Amino acid sequence: MSATETQRVLPIEGVIRNELAELVRDSELSVPSLPDSATGLMGLTGVSDAAVSKLVAAAERTPLLRERVLRVATLAAQLDGSGFSSIHEAIAHLGTAEVADIVLTAVVHGRLFDDKRCAGVAVDAWRRSIATAIWAREIGAVSRRGDEYTYLGGLLHDLGQHVAKLACAWSAVRLGLDPEDADTERAALEHGSHFTRTLCDQWPLPDAVIEVIRNWEAWTPHDGAPGNAAVVQLAHYLAEIAYEQGPELTREALAGKPLLDTLRISPDRFNALLSRAGWVKAQAAAY
């Protein structure tokens, strides 16, 4: 049955789901590649001349990337003036590790979402993933459970869902369809796990990040000492609830949860985290 004939008997959602299912069945599913510049930035720490040179080279590769990094770095530093005039100033103020997080996020963002067809629900969801990464860094510091891969684990924890939504958008364009956001959400939900497995196989990600991607959602305190999977699980909840509903409802939803006790986050520290909800949302929106 041709795509046109299929559209006559199926709603838009069904057409797109069938399209993705056929690609999965025939092993023709393609995912975007991870830029070499992003691979070189993973886990980058320290302030050596070599590290700074890598950051500057990555950030200045294109004017758009340079502008985005400077905008986010300025917001991260909470400055009210004209901000940084160069990447060197941003690095000097924030430190190599934090600017590496900003550059890495900007590089991956550009690879996935600079296509104008991918506006709307896909970008909104990606910004919640950026918020998850920022929350993960904050939670990792408060709980003393973070490491050099905590931010990256938060950023990429639900990457399969994002790429599935992009595949829905690309399929819709190819088939001449205009699906509702809800159609895309449902189609991506069905095939997101396959995209996750494909990305973990194809992207040269650190083992610690792959462990988070595969286990963050199912992690429980019974699984042993908390690590990045537990940190990212809490960060995801904070991003989902605080991003949409604000800190007050987040406090009600998560206060007293076993995860807070497991990570040894006291009520005072939890409240201190939530006080930064507006800042986290604004920083995620700056990409």
Side-chain angles (χ1 to χ4, degrees):
M1 183 181 294
S2 69
T4 301
E5 292 170 333
T6 300
Q7 290 177 49
R8 294 191 187 120
V9 297
L10 286 175
I12 289 177
E13 176 195 350
V15 175
I16 295 176
R17 288 169 63 188
N18 279 2
E19 170 87 357
L20 293 186
E22 289 179 6
L23 292 174
V24 170
R25 183 195 64 206
D26 298 337
S27 299
E28 295 178 355
L29 196 64
S30 61
V31 299
S33 60
L34 184 68
D36 292 340
S37 55
T39 303
L41 291 169
M42 289 181 184
L44 181 61
T45 58
V47 291
S48 67
D49 290 341
V52 172
S53 296
K54 286 183 180 180
L55 282 174
V56 172
E60 294 189 336
R61 194 174 303 276
T62 65
L64 179 61
L65 178 58
R66 182 172 63 252
E67 176 187 350
R68 182 173 289 153
V69 169
L70 288 174
R71 183 173 67 248
V72 177
T74 296
L75 182 58
Q78 296 180 292
L79 297 177
D80 296 326
S82 59
F84 302 112
S85 61
S86 71
I87 300 299
H88 289 284
E89 288 183 15
I91 293 172
H93 187 90
L94 296 175
T96 307
E98 187 165 345
V99 175
D101 289 342
I102 295 170
V103 174
L104 179 60
T105 304
V107 169
V108 176
H109 179 97
R111 174 54 57 92
L112 295 179
F113 297 108
D114 276 353
D115 189 327
K116 298 302 182 184
R117 295 173 295 180
C118 302
V121 64
V123 175
D124 289 341
W126 170 246
R127 285 180 177 140
R128 286 194 291 274
S129 291
I130 297 173
T132 299
I134 299 169
W135 280 123
R137 187 171 60 206
E138 300 279 320
I139 294 166
V142 167
S143 65
R144 298 181 181 178
R145 300 285 184 179
D147 59 29
E148 66 268 32
Y149 296 122
T150 301
Y151 180 94
L152 186 59
L155 182 68
L156 303 182
H157 75 289
D158 54 354
L159 185 64
Q161 286 291 320
H162 298 308
V163 177
K165 289 173 185 175
L166 295 179
C168 289
W170 296 328
S171 294
V173 170
R174 190 179 72 79
L175 297 172
L177 301 175
D178 185 19
E180 298 287 337
D181 288 346
D183 295 336
T184 299
E185 290 278 5
R186 287 190 291 267
L189 184 63
E190 181 173 350
H191 295 291
S193 59
H194 184 89
F195 280 89
T196 297
R197 292 191 296 271
T198 302
L199 287 162
C200 286
D201 289 340
Q202 294 187 12
W203 281 25
L205 299 173
D207 290 342
V209 175
I210 291 177
E211 190 272 336
V212 169
I213 292 173
R214 289 175 172 166
N215 299 319
W216 73 269
E217 192 168 14
W219 190 92
T220 72
H222 300 294
D223 293 334
N228 280 338
V231 169
V232 169
Q233 186 183 102
L234 178 57
H236 175 90
Y237 292 151
L238 286 175
E240 284 287 303
I241 302 173
Y243 201 93
E244 296 291 344
Q245 303 177 30
E248 288 303 323
L249 288 178
T250 307
R251 186 178 289 105
E252 294 177 12
L254 294 178
K257 293 291 185 182
L259 189 57
L260 295 175
D261 293 335
T262 301
L263 291 170
R264 298 181 180 178
I265 298 176
S266 68
D268 287 344
R269 287 183 174 180
F270 186 50
N271 286 334
L273 282 171
L274 291 180
S275 70
R276 297 173 64 77
W279 175 82
V280 171
K281 182 175 182 178
Q283 197 175 347
Y287 283 91

